[in-house]
Amino acid sequence: MCQTDAEFRAFYAGDFRDRSPAAVQGVVDRSKQFAKDCLERSGDLVKYLNTDQAVRDMDLFRSLLGVQKISYYGPSYATWLGAYYATEFPQHVERAVLDSNEPFAQTWQQAELGQPMSFQRRFGQDFLPWIAKYDSVYHYGSTAAEAQSTWEARRRALHDHPITIGSLTIGPNQLDNATLQGMYNADQQWRGLASVLAALEHWNTATQAEHQLVQKTFANYLSPGFAATFFPVTCNDTPWDRDLDYWIRQSAKDTTKYPLVGARELAYTATCVYWPESDAPRVKVTGKGLPPTLMLNSVHDPATYYEGAVRAHKALRGSRLVTVTGGGDHGQYQNGNACVDGIVDAYLLSRTVPAHDTTCPTKPLPLPAQGS
């Protein structure tokens, strides 16, 4: 563990959109402290927390199980893990499904630079029109522009007057976090997020059930445990630009253009700026020696942006890309899409591989929450 709960709450303190010199320096200082705490409290362990080491652990498990080849399914970061395993141990791969793909043929720096655009696209082009469609339920605005205005007004209000529930403080950064987390899966998360946003608009008269939903939503995002694994992997695996001034300039641009995630960019990248140089091996994904691999991605995936998935697909020779058109869920297999499930099941059960890249339509967007 790198930090306690209280220390990690400080990592998200304030307002990441504040670009005043004092606020920017505060973000940098807290990122530097996080990196320092990881090194002091974990010792030499942190340098071994990388994807190459995880790949070698995987192959050890394979060997202990006494099997020559494995079949692999991995979503999100596990696509990076699977692609590296397939590159380093292609002789032990029978089948592989990579779902919602990180740009594993590139660097973590490039992966994180793509997320502000893709989260903003999912929020602006998908979620806001959806919540506006149900203005009679959520009262958030009858157009996407009105819903955006309501959300921004609430963020400004939280900047000036954060909401406190027990030990939990809900400020602008917390609103960003809850919103971006809600972008991952429409059916599972949009109704809950919309109900939370609606409750914040009448907080003084919110019901006990609404208070509980808000508390659960805002207490559930990131933890010190997650950060203690996320940052070592992303900072260790691939090289980072160590020029802090570059990241201050870049994050200012992304804060303006893609504020939902661009605002936190400096906090994340500055952590890797202060991370020690890694000796993790540089792995180049090629697909050499592999059977055909199946890749899945939606066009508006917020976390693993489609443009990066396409580049990963081109690097992984012999792979087939299943594009889910018109949708943006993160994680496609067993997500209620019969087209996707049919392709993956045929591949895993009978080795049937699509003759070429193909598409599946997205599933319908959810109806609003009942009783809101």
Side-chain angles (χ1 to χ4, degrees), residues 4-284:
T4 65
D5 287 338
E7 289 170 333
F8 191 64
R9 281 197 295 271
F11 186 86
Y12 277 95
D15 184 348
F16 286 148
R17 286 197 198 177
D18 186 348
R19 302 300 301 186
S20 66
V24 169
Q25 189 60 51
V27 170
V28 169
D29 289 345
R30 288 188 289 274
S31 296
K32 185 177 182 180
Q33 185 64 47
F34 182 88
K36 181 173 181 288
D37 288 342
C38 277
L39 297 177
E40 289 182 349
R41 297 174 187 180
S42 301
D44 288 343
L45 175 63
V46 294
K47 72 178 183 179
Y48 296 108
L49 298 178
N50 59 63
T51 302
D52 174 70
Q53 289 294 326
V55 158
R56 296 182 184 282
D57 288 343
M58 284 175 59
D59 201 58
L60 174 61
F61 297 150
R62 177 204 58 78
S63 176
L64 292 173
L65 289 170
V67 296
Q68 181 63 24
K69 289 181 179 288
I70 63 171
S71 291
Y72 180 88
Y73 167 80
S76 197
Y77 163 68
T79 63
W80 201 298
L81 179 66
Y84 272 29
Y85 182 86
T87 297
E88 298 188 59
F89 297 100
Q91 71 276 20
H92 296 312
V93 177
E94 185 172 38
R95 305 175 186 88
V97 180
L98 307 181
D99 186 351
S100 300
N101 292 265
E102 293 282 3
F104 47 72
Q106 299 175 280
T107 65
W108 280 110
Q109 176 171 318
Q110 290 166 309
E112 292 201 21
L113 280 172
Q115 282 193 337
M117 176 278 295
S118 54
F119 271 102
Q120 199 72 39
R121 176 170 63 191
R122 176 68 158 161
F123 180 54
Q125 296 184 24
D126 297 345
F127 177 75
L128 291 178
W130 177 85
I131 195 173
K133 180 179 178 180
Y134 299 109
D135 182 47
S136 62
V137 177
Y138 300 111
H139 313 294
Y140 215 70
S142 59
T143 67
E146 289 177 358
Q148 173 80 53
S149 180
T150 302
W151 190 91
E152 289 289 347
R154 179 52 47 197
R155 193 183 190 282
R156 289 191 297 271
L158 289 172
H159 176 97
D160 297 331
H161 303 288
I163 293 172
T164 301
I165 310 176
S167 62
L168 179 66
T169 298
I170 302 173
N173 288 345
Q174 287 69 42
L175 181 65
D176 291 349
N177 282 343
T179 302
L180 70 89
Q181 182 68 14
M183 296 303 101
Y184 280 75
N185 188 288
D187 192 54
Q188 296 176 19
Q189 295 170 312
W190 282 11
R191 285 169 289 208
L193 174 61
S195 296
V196 165
L197 296 177
L200 293 177
E201 291 306 298
H202 61 264
W203 188 244
N204 291 336
T205 59
T207 66
Q208 182 65 27
E210 287 176 317
H211 275 250
Q212 291 173 348
L213 177 61
V214 167
Q215 187 169 16
K216 178 181 178 181
T217 298
F218 283 96
N220 237 4
Y221 181 60
L222 289 177
S223 68
F226 170 83
T229 54
F230 173 83
F231 283 109
V233 168
T234 55
C235 297
N236 280 333
D237 272 1
T238 55
W240 278 84
D241 190 321
R242 302 301 180 112
D243 182 352
L244 183 62
D245 289 338
Y246 163 77
W247 287 114
I248 291 173
R249 294 191 303 271
Q250 181 63 42
S251 63
K253 294 176 185 176
D254 285 339
T255 297
T256 299
K257 193 172 184 180
Y258 311 116
L260 182 61
V261 171
R264 78 173 190 187
E265 182 176 272
L266 180 61
Y268 278 48
T269 57
T271 301
C272 288
V273 167
Y274 288 108
W275 205 261
E277 292 282 355
S278 171
D279 58 0
R282 305 306 176 209
V283 179
K284 183 178 180 181

